[in-house]
Each structure stands twice: as C-alpha cells, then as structure tokens.
Amino acid sequence: MLNNKKFNIVLSLIIAVGLWAYVIGETNPTDTRTFRDIPITFVNGEVLANSNLAVLEASADTMNVTLSGTRSNINKISEKDITAVVDLADAAKGTNELKINVRVPDNVEIEDKSINKVTVVVENSKSKEVDIDVDYQGNFESEEEPITVEMSRESVNVSGPSSLVNKVVSVKAVVAEGKVTDKLKTIKSQLKPVDKSGNEVEKVKLSAESISVTAELAKTKTVPLIVPINDDAEDTLEKNTTVPKTITIKGKSSDLENIESIKTQEVDITEITEDTTIDLVPILPDKIQISDNSSSLVLIVKIQALSSKTFTFDEGDVDLTGLEDDLKGQVKAGKIEIVVKGTEEAMAAIKKSDLRLSADLGDLGEGTHQVDLTVTCGKTYTSMDISPQKIRVTIE
C-alpha cells in the first residue's frame, strides 16, 4: 500500500509538470519580431575631431533588427530598447568598414540584422566664419519691404567635413511669414546654411542654431545709381562696361525723402584683360539698406582687342580757319601721320576721307606761329595719335 501511494505521488508530479509545460508552451510560445528603422548612433566623434577629421557620409543611418524570445517578453520590447552603435575611434581618413554593435534586453536574442557593418567616409574637417543673411518669408506690398534694424549676431562659425563647409556661402536667418509688421519687433529666427544656389547644406554644424532679428516694414524708393570707373591702362584693349542705371533702397519715409541718388565705391578696371563681372558696393546713408530687388548689383566688363590704322597727310591737307580776309596762311609741317585705334569692326569702316585736319588761326597776325593741329572723325574709334601735334604756320 505504501509503495502504491508513493508511486501515485510521483506520477501526479510528473503529470503536473507536463501539464504546466504544455500550458506554458501553448499560452506563451517562442516568437520572433522585426523592429524596423532602428537609428544607428555614431560615438567617439571627438576622437576624429582631435585629429582634424570629420565624417562626410555613412552608407546607412538606420537598420532593421529581428529578435526572438517568448511572446510575453517580445511584446514588452519597443524600438527604444534596442541600440545600434558604431565606434568612430578606430576610423581613419578615407573609406572605413565599421562594425555595428547591437544591444538588446537580456531576455531576448538577436535572430537577424539587416546589416552588420556600415561604410563611413572620413575626410579633413574645416571651420570658417560665414555672414548671416536674413530671409524674410511671404509676400509684401509693392512699395513695402522688411528692413533689418538689428541682429543679435552677424556671423556664425560653420564646421564639418571640408567639402561640405566649402559649399556654404551664406547662413540664412529664416523669418516666417507674417512675423514682420509695421511695428518694430524682435523675432527668434532659425539658422540654415546654404550653398550658392540657395539649397541647404546638411551635415555641417553651426556655432549657433538661431539668432534674434529686430525688424519692421519699411518703404522702398528707386533712385539713379552712380558708378565711378577708373581705367589707367594703355589703350591696347577696348573695354565696354555695363552698369545698372538705378538702385532700389529701403528705409523709413523720413530717411528716404531727401535721397536723390546713390553712389558706389570706385571700380578700378585698369588690370582687367578679359570679360569680367564685378560686384558693386553702394555707399548708403545711415539707416538705409538695399532692397531685395537690387540685391545683385554688378558691373560687367566686355573686352575686345584693338586694331589700328595709320593715315598719312600732306601739309596741304590741313584746313586753316579763322584768318582775316586779307591774310593767307601756309603750313610748314612736312608729312602728318594719324594713327587711329579701335575694334576690328570699327577700323574696317574708317577711311582716310573720314578724317579732317584743321588749325584755328583766329586772332593771329602776320608772322610764323606754332598752332595745335586738330583732327576730327565722324566714325567710331577708341583713340587717336597725331604726329606732330603742333604745326608751323606762316601768315602773310
């Protein structure tokens, strides 16, 4: 009897354990689940920075991870419980294949990963100071435009991979539509680095993420633009310049009222020998700014090589003017040589008959005199050399 009782107890325990295992297996079975777009974190970037290096690009910034475990444990996990880390400490300049270290909770296992390594391109780092331009969003009345009264800072340091930093030509302080009114107002503006086409340059760092812009709506006015040009070069080149005739400025009505024109800094084109575009720098009165409509003011220089023609005249070809009726004049000059310079097209059109030589003898009496020789030409030319410049004339 005793043995049968012990046997029944052992059998009952075995059956109970089996039933427990069966119930657990049916109600909480092993399961798998894929977690997508897990962000890849890059650490020890300061190690690269200490060597004047920076990450230009990485082949991936997210990955998928498949986990296995009991259904209850799998269901408790979210994306934030999974970390994917790449250590940059061992990266060098150039292309690097770096392992992704994935960490998950202890009660589950990694079944699969979409990628095991990431390709990281490293290049020299660079930093530079870049001016901040305010970018006002929205449309304004035809004779109104926002005017920047003050900025909390006028430049910002841009740092990162050298090839990306080199692309940055400006940093925009973006002022959202509707923020600017006819009342003076200070607005917090986010900064955005842009290239020459106005596109945002990503993956660079700014020393400040935003600035404060104090602005208000102002009036605009269009006035003549005066551009002084200096050219001390020898006349071996024809330099044709084109400049804007007017400039649109903005400010308060009271400040604009007495402004009749704007002058730029002098532009020296002496050393220019090929087609060139030069930025103009207007000299603006206090509290006056350039309108967005005149944001691009340039002088365009077009270059043409000069040709020359030489014409020879006799002293009898000189017209003497201004003599009294009872006086006669005679030129004693020998050969007279005229060298005319201009573009090839202009020189092809000039003939000897287009030149007129004359000397004014008005108020001169009898005797021999040295007088200026004047040459006129009805055709287009760049310069003219006259030899001799003075002729001897005898009046009787």
Side-chain angles (χ1 to χ4, degrees), residues 312-327:
T312 303
F313 295 86
D314 295 322
E315 53 192 31
D317 295 322
V318 180
D319 293 332
L320 302 178
T321 63
L323 275 175
E324 297 290 339
D325 292 340
D326 58 342
L327 296 176

Side-chain angles (χ1 to χ4, degrees), residues 143-160:
E143 295 184 356
E144 286 188 336
E145 197 171 298
I147 188 169
T148 304
V149 177
E150 186 180 10
M151 295 190 295
S152 58
R153 62 189 302 162
E154 295 185 353
S155 64
V156 66
N157 186 270
V158 181
S159 60

Side-chain angles (χ1 to χ4, degrees), residues 11 69 98 104-105 107 152 184 202 206 212-214 232 271 275 280 299 302 306 314 330 345 355 359 384:
L11 180 61
L98 301 179
V104 299
N107 54 6
S152 58
L184 197 62
E202 299 180 344
L206 304 180
S212 295
V213 177
T214 303
D232 292 331
E271 302 298 329
D275 292 354
L280 296 174
L299 178 149
K302 294 290 186 180
L306 295 183
D314 295 322
Q330 184 177 4
E345 182 180 2
L355 277 64
M384 182 184 294

Side-chain angles (χ1 to χ4, degrees), residues 26 37 42 61 73 87 92 129 242 247 251 259 266 270 277 329 342 346 357:
E26 287 296 316
D37 299 325
F42 296 88
D61 53 13
N73 288 334
D87 192 347
E129 200 74 12
T242 304
I247 181 174
I259 299 176
E266 183 180 82
T270 300
T277 298
L357 283 62

Side-chain angles (χ1 to χ4, degrees), residues 84-129:
V85 178
V86 173
D87 192 347
L88 297 173
D90 296 327
K93 183 178 178 180
T95 302
N96 301 263
E97 293 288 337
L98 301 179
K99 180 182 177 181
I100 305 173
N101 295 308
V102 179
R103 297 176 182 174
V104 299
D106 293 337
N107 54 6
V108 294
E109 295 181 354
I110 298 173
E111 181 83 8
D112 189 27
K113 295 179 286 186
S114 60
I115 53 176
N116 293 301
K117 292 184 178 181
V118 64
T119 302
V120 176
V121 180
V122 175
E123 68 174 28
N124 291 332
S125 62
K126 181 179 180 179
S127 65
K128 66 178 181 181
E129 200 74 12

Side-chain angles (χ1 to χ4, degrees), residues 125-288:
S125 62
K126 181 179 180 179
S127 65
K128 66 178 181 181
E129 200 74 12
V130 178
D131 292 337
I132 298 173
D133 297 323
V134 182
D135 182 13
Y136 293 100
Q137 303 289 307
N139 298 316
F140 303 93
E141 298 294 333
S142 59
E143 295 184 356
E144 286 188 336
E145 197 171 298
I147 188 169
T148 304
V149 177
E150 186 180 10
M151 295 190 295
S152 58
R153 62 189 302 162
E154 295 185 353
S155 64
V156 66
N157 186 270
V158 181
S159 60
S162 57
S163 61
L164 296 181
V165 173
N166 288 337
K167 290 182 179 181
V168 179
V169 298
S170 173
V171 174
K172 299 291 186 182
V174 181
V175 177
E177 182 175 0
K179 291 291 186 179
V180 183
T181 67
D182 56 1
K183 302 294 183 183
L184 197 62
K185 186 177 179 182
T186 300
I187 307 156
K188 184 177 181 180
S189 305
Q190 296 298 313
L191 296 180
K192 181 175 71 172
V194 297
D195 60 20
K196 62 182 180 180
S197 300
N199 300 316
E200 184 174 3
V201 180
E202 299 180 344
K203 298 180 181 179
V204 295
K205 294 181 180 179
L206 304 180
S207 57
E209 296 299 321
S210 63
I211 65 167
S212 295
V213 177
T214 303
E216 64 181 333
L217 282 177
K219 297 296 182 180
T220 62
K221 183 178 181 180
T222 300
V223 297
L225 182 66
I226 301 170
V227 183
I229 301 172
N230 178 58
D231 185 10
D232 292 331
E234 297 181 0
D235 55 354
T236 58
L237 297 173
E238 172 82 4
K239 298 180 182 179
N240 296 314
T241 58
T242 304
V243 298
K245 301 299 182 184
T246 61
I247 181 174
T248 302
I249 53 179
K250 60 185 178 181
K252 291 185 177 180
S253 298
S254 56
D255 295 326
L256 292 171
E257 185 177 1
N258 296 322
I259 299 176
E260 301 298 330
S261 64
I262 294 293
K263 186 177 182 181
T264 70
Q265 294 180 4
E266 183 180 82
V267 182
D268 191 343
I269 63 172
T270 300
E271 302 298 329
I272 292 178
T273 58
E274 58 184 20
D275 292 354
T276 305
T277 298
I278 302 172
D279 290 330
L280 296 174
V281 182
I283 303 171
L284 299 173
D286 189 32
K287 299 180 181 179
I288 298 299

